[in-house]
Amino acid sequence: KTCVPTERVAQVDVQKLIDTTSVGKSKKSVLMEDFKRKQSELDKVQEGLLEEKKDLESGKLSEGAKKIRREKYEKQLAELAQTYQRFQEEIRVKERALTSEILSEVRDASSRIGEAQGFTAVYFEEGVLWAKPGKEQAADALKGVPRFDLTAAVMDEMNRPR
């Protein structure tokens, strides 16, 4: 006797969808452009500080000038560290927002495919991505059931022009 599940469940690889769909690539591109722009700004400031450090260590400055410039250098170095921290947080926030937007599109495409193909639930790495209306509790109970991989079908759905 074999137990045959009466509910059909599927899974999708969200990271693959982020990396390969036009929506995912577009959103990642926006994030990368922002990252590169901000990194370029930080690099310019850092280059200036490296030049200032060389001047301070050159031995060509009087003690008075060296003291004034060292204080300014240390202040700018601390500001650079704060700017870097702020930059990292901004990138994290934008990355979460873009990932959320992509996940919403994955969820929409998964629901269309899941409904059309008669699935009860579609899972992703972190849990239930979509469940047939009225079957949300069943979806939790079906976590261990073998799953169909709908990644390719969801990818096609997401890449389809609208």
PDB file of all heavy atoms in Angstrom, residues 41-43 45-46 49 75-85:
ATOM      1  N   GLU A  41      31.651  57.926  -5.277  1.00  0.00           N
ATOM      2  CA  GLU A  41      31.747  59.101  -4.408  1.00  0.00           C
ATOM      3  C   GLU A  41      32.659  58.814  -3.215  1.00  0.00           C
ATOM      4  O   GLU A  41      33.513  59.629  -2.860  1.00  0.00           O
ATOM      5  CB  GLU A  41      30.364  59.518  -3.917  1.00  0.00           C
ATOM      6  CG  GLU A  41      29.453  60.061  -4.989  1.00  0.00           C
ATOM      7  CD  GLU A  41      28.017  60.265  -4.516  1.00  0.00           C
ATOM      8  OE1 GLU A  41      27.773  60.273  -3.286  1.00  0.00           O
ATOM      9  OE2 GLU A  41      27.142  60.420  -5.389  1.00  0.00           O
ATOM     10  N   LEU A  42      32.478  57.649  -2.604  1.00  0.00           N
ATOM     11  CA  LEU A  42      33.320  57.274  -1.463  1.00  0.00           C
ATOM     12  C   LEU A  42      34.780  57.126  -1.885  1.00  0.00           C
ATOM     13  O   LEU A  42      35.693  57.536  -1.158  1.00  0.00           O
ATOM     14  CB  LEU A  42      32.829  55.964  -0.841  1.00  0.00           C
ATOM     15  CG  LEU A  42      31.532  56.013  -0.057  1.00  0.00           C
ATOM     16  CD1 LEU A  42      31.125  54.609   0.372  1.00  0.00           C
ATOM     17  CD2 LEU A  42      31.659  56.906   1.164  1.00  0.00           C
ATOM     18  N   ASP A  43      35.011  56.544  -3.056  1.00  0.00           N
ATOM     19  CA  ASP A  43      36.376  56.353  -3.544  1.00  0.00           C
ATOM     20  C   ASP A  43      37.089  57.686  -3.735  1.00  0.00           C
ATOM     21  O   ASP A  43      38.276  57.819  -3.400  1.00  0.00           O
ATOM     22  CB  ASP A  43      36.378  55.575  -4.862  1.00  0.00           C
ATOM     23  CG  ASP A  43      36.005  54.107  -4.680  1.00  0.00           C
ATOM     24  OD1 ASP A  43      35.999  53.624  -3.527  1.00  0.00           O
ATOM     25  OD2 ASP A  43      35.712  53.446  -5.707  1.00  0.00           O
ATOM     26  N   VAL A  45      36.521  60.551  -2.149  1.00  0.00           N
ATOM     27  CA  VAL A  45      36.846  61.098  -0.828  1.00  0.00           C
ATOM     28  C   VAL A  45      38.036  60.350  -0.241  1.00  0.00           C
ATOM     29  O   VAL A  45      38.966  60.958   0.304  1.00  0.00           O
ATOM     30  CB  VAL A  45      35.622  61.030   0.123  1.00  0.00           C
ATOM     31  CG1 VAL A  45      36.007  61.422   1.539  1.00  0.00           C
ATOM     32  CG2 VAL A  45      34.492  61.917  -0.392  1.00  0.00           C
ATOM     33  N   GLN A  46      38.035  59.035  -0.377  1.00  0.00           N
ATOM     34  CA  GLN A  46      39.121  58.223   0.173  1.00  0.00           C
ATOM     35  C   GLN A  46      40.457  58.547  -0.509  1.00  0.00           C
ATOM     36  O   GLN A  46      41.485  58.634   0.158  1.00  0.00           O
ATOM     37  CB  GLN A  46      38.799  56.741   0.016  1.00  0.00           C
ATOM     38  CG  GLN A  46      39.765  55.838   0.742  1.00  0.00           C
ATOM     39  CD  GLN A  46      39.324  54.384   0.708  1.00  0.00           C
ATOM     40  OE1 GLN A  46      38.445  53.993  -0.032  1.00  0.00           O
ATOM     41  NE2 GLN A  46      39.969  53.579   1.528  1.00  0.00           N
ATOM     42  N   LEU A  49      41.793  61.664   0.948  1.00  0.00           N
ATOM     43  CA  LEU A  49      42.329  61.427   2.290  1.00  0.00           C
ATOM     44  C   LEU A  49      43.679  60.713   2.234  1.00  0.00           C
ATOM     45  O   LEU A  49      44.568  60.999   3.048  1.00  0.00           O
ATOM     46  CB  LEU A  49      41.332  60.627   3.127  1.00  0.00           C
ATOM     47  CG  LEU A  49      40.106  61.414   3.593  1.00  0.00           C
ATOM     48  CD1 LEU A  49      39.082  60.482   4.236  1.00  0.00           C
ATOM     49  CD2 LEU A  49      40.499  62.515   4.563  1.00  0.00           C
ATOM     50  N   LYS A  75      39.050  64.450  11.222  1.00  0.00           N
ATOM     51  CA  LYS A  75      37.626  64.781  11.154  1.00  0.00           C
ATOM     52  C   LYS A  75      37.030  64.240   9.851  1.00  0.00           C
ATOM     53  O   LYS A  75      35.958  63.620   9.849  1.00  0.00           O
ATOM     54  CB  LYS A  75      37.424  66.285  11.249  1.00  0.00           C
ATOM     55  CG  LYS A  75      35.978  66.714  11.207  1.00  0.00           C
ATOM     56  CD  LYS A  75      35.836  68.223  11.285  1.00  0.00           C
ATOM     57  CE  LYS A  75      34.373  68.611  11.148  1.00  0.00           C
ATOM     58  NZ  LYS A  75      34.196  70.044  11.006  1.00  0.00           N
ATOM     59  N   GLN A  76      37.726  64.448   8.746  1.00  0.00           N
ATOM     60  CA  GLN A  76      37.240  63.960   7.447  1.00  0.00           C
ATOM     61  C   GLN A  76      37.210  62.432   7.411  1.00  0.00           C
ATOM     62  O   GLN A  76      36.314  61.838   6.808  1.00  0.00           O
ATOM     63  CB  GLN A  76      38.117  64.497   6.313  1.00  0.00           C
ATOM     64  CG  GLN A  76      37.924  65.973   6.076  1.00  0.00           C
ATOM     65  CD  GLN A  76      38.893  66.517   5.039  1.00  0.00           C
ATOM     66  OE1 GLN A  76      40.014  66.043   4.898  1.00  0.00           O
ATOM     67  NE2 GLN A  76      38.445  67.544   4.317  1.00  0.00           N
ATOM     68  N   LEU A  77      38.166  61.792   8.041  1.00  0.00           N
ATOM     69  CA  LEU A  77      38.212  60.338   8.107  1.00  0.00           C
ATOM     70  C   LEU A  77      37.008  59.801   8.887  1.00  0.00           C
ATOM     71  O   LEU A  77      36.355  58.837   8.464  1.00  0.00           O
ATOM     72  CB  LEU A  77      39.519  59.875   8.753  1.00  0.00           C
ATOM     73  CG  LEU A  77      39.869  58.410   8.655  1.00  0.00           C
ATOM     74  CD1 LEU A  77      39.983  57.979   7.191  1.00  0.00           C
ATOM     75  CD2 LEU A  77      41.178  58.129   9.377  1.00  0.00           C
ATOM     76  N   ALA A  78      36.676  60.456   9.998  1.00  0.00           N
ATOM     77  CA  ALA A  78      35.507  60.053  10.791  1.00  0.00           C
ATOM     78  C   ALA A  78      34.217  60.275   9.987  1.00  0.00           C
ATOM     79  O   ALA A  78      33.311  59.430  10.022  1.00  0.00           O
ATOM     80  CB  ALA A  78      35.460  60.842  12.105  1.00  0.00           C
ATOM     81  N   GLU A  79      34.150  61.385   9.251  1.00  0.00           N
ATOM     82  CA  GLU A  79      32.976  61.648   8.409  1.00  0.00           C
ATOM     83  C   GLU A  79      32.840  60.596   7.314  1.00  0.00           C
ATOM     84  O   GLU A  79      31.736  60.171   6.989  1.00  0.00           O
ATOM     85  CB  GLU A  79      33.072  63.050   7.789  1.00  0.00           C
ATOM     86  CG  GLU A  79      32.859  64.166   8.779  1.00  0.00           C
ATOM     87  CD  GLU A  79      33.169  65.549   8.205  1.00  0.00           C
ATOM     88  OE1 GLU A  79      33.611  65.640   7.034  1.00  0.00           O
ATOM     89  OE2 GLU A  79      32.978  66.530   8.935  1.00  0.00           O
ATOM     90  N   LEU A  80      33.976  60.177   6.747  1.00  0.00           N
ATOM     91  CA  LEU A  80      33.953  59.133   5.714  1.00  0.00           C
ATOM     92  C   LEU A  80      33.405  57.830   6.292  1.00  0.00           C
ATOM     93  O   LEU A  80      32.585  57.161   5.657  1.00  0.00           O
ATOM     94  CB  LEU A  80      35.350  58.910   5.137  1.00  0.00           C
ATOM     95  CG  LEU A  80      35.473  57.785   4.108  1.00  0.00           C
ATOM     96  CD1 LEU A  80      34.648  58.084   2.861  1.00  0.00           C
ATOM     97  CD2 LEU A  80      36.934  57.558   3.737  1.00  0.00           C
ATOM     98  N   ALA A  81      33.835  57.485   7.490  1.00  0.00           N
ATOM     99  CA  ALA A  81      33.338  56.259   8.133  1.00  0.00           C
ATOM    100  C   ALA A  81      31.824  56.345   8.363  1.00  0.00           C
ATOM    101  O   ALA A  81      31.102  55.367   8.117  1.00  0.00           O
ATOM    102  CB  ALA A  81      34.069  56.021   9.452  1.00  0.00           C
ATOM    103  N   GLN A  82      31.344  57.494   8.801  1.00  0.00           N
ATOM    104  CA  GLN A  82      29.901  57.677   9.005  1.00  0.00           C
ATOM    105  C   GLN A  82      29.148  57.611   7.680  1.00  0.00           C
ATOM    106  O   GLN A  82      28.086  56.997   7.594  1.00  0.00           O
ATOM    107  CB  GLN A  82      29.621  59.009   9.699  1.00  0.00           C
ATOM    108  CG  GLN A  82      30.046  59.057  11.137  1.00  0.00           C
ATOM    109  CD  GLN A  82      29.886  60.447  11.732  1.00  0.00           C
ATOM    110  OE1 GLN A  82      29.758  61.440  11.027  1.00  0.00           O
ATOM    111  NE2 GLN A  82      29.890  60.513  13.063  1.00  0.00           N
ATOM    112  N   THR A  83      29.706  58.236   6.658  1.00  0.00           N
ATOM    113  CA  THR A  83      29.079  58.211   5.331  1.00  0.00           C
ATOM    114  C   THR A  83      29.016  56.775   4.821  1.00  0.00           C
ATOM    115  O   THR A  83      28.001  56.363   4.245  1.00  0.00           O
ATOM    116  CB  THR A  83      29.869  59.102   4.343  1.00  0.00           C
ATOM    117  OG1 THR A  83      29.884  60.434   4.848  1.00  0.00           O
ATOM    118  CG2 THR A  83      29.246  59.075   2.957  1.00  0.00           C
ATOM    119  N   TYR A  84      30.083  56.024   5.025  1.00  0.00           N
ATOM    120  CA  TYR A  84      30.116  54.624   4.599  1.00  0.00           C
ATOM    121  C   TYR A  84      29.023  53.815   5.314  1.00  0.00           C
ATOM    122  O   TYR A  84      28.311  53.040   4.675  1.00  0.00           O
ATOM    123  CB  TYR A  84      31.494  54.017   4.871  1.00  0.00           C
ATOM    124  CG  TYR A  84      31.568  52.567   4.513  1.00  0.00           C
ATOM    125  CD1 TYR A  84      31.681  52.162   3.190  1.00  0.00           C
ATOM    126  CD2 TYR A  84      31.514  51.578   5.505  1.00  0.00           C
ATOM    127  CE1 TYR A  84      31.743  50.822   2.845  1.00  0.00           C
ATOM    128  CE2 TYR A  84      31.568  50.241   5.175  1.00  0.00           C
ATOM    129  CZ  TYR A  84      31.687  49.863   3.845  1.00  0.00           C
ATOM    130  OH  TYR A  84      31.732  48.530   3.518  1.00  0.00           O
ATOM    131  N   GLN A  85      28.878  54.003   6.604  1.00  0.00           N
ATOM    132  CA  GLN A  85      27.845  53.297   7.369  1.00  0.00           C
ATOM    133  C   GLN A  85      26.449  53.660   6.853  1.00  0.00           C
ATOM    134  O   GLN A  85      25.596  52.801   6.686  1.00  0.00           O
ATOM    135  CB  GLN A  85      27.949  53.621   8.864  1.00  0.00           C
ATOM    136  CG  GLN A  85      29.174  53.065   9.542  1.00  0.00           C
ATOM    137  CD  GLN A  85      29.173  51.550   9.564  1.00  0.00           C
ATOM    138  OE1 GLN A  85      28.146  50.915   9.619  1.00  0.00           O
ATOM    139  NE2 GLN A  85      30.352  50.965   9.513  1.00  0.00           N
TER     140      GLN A  85
END
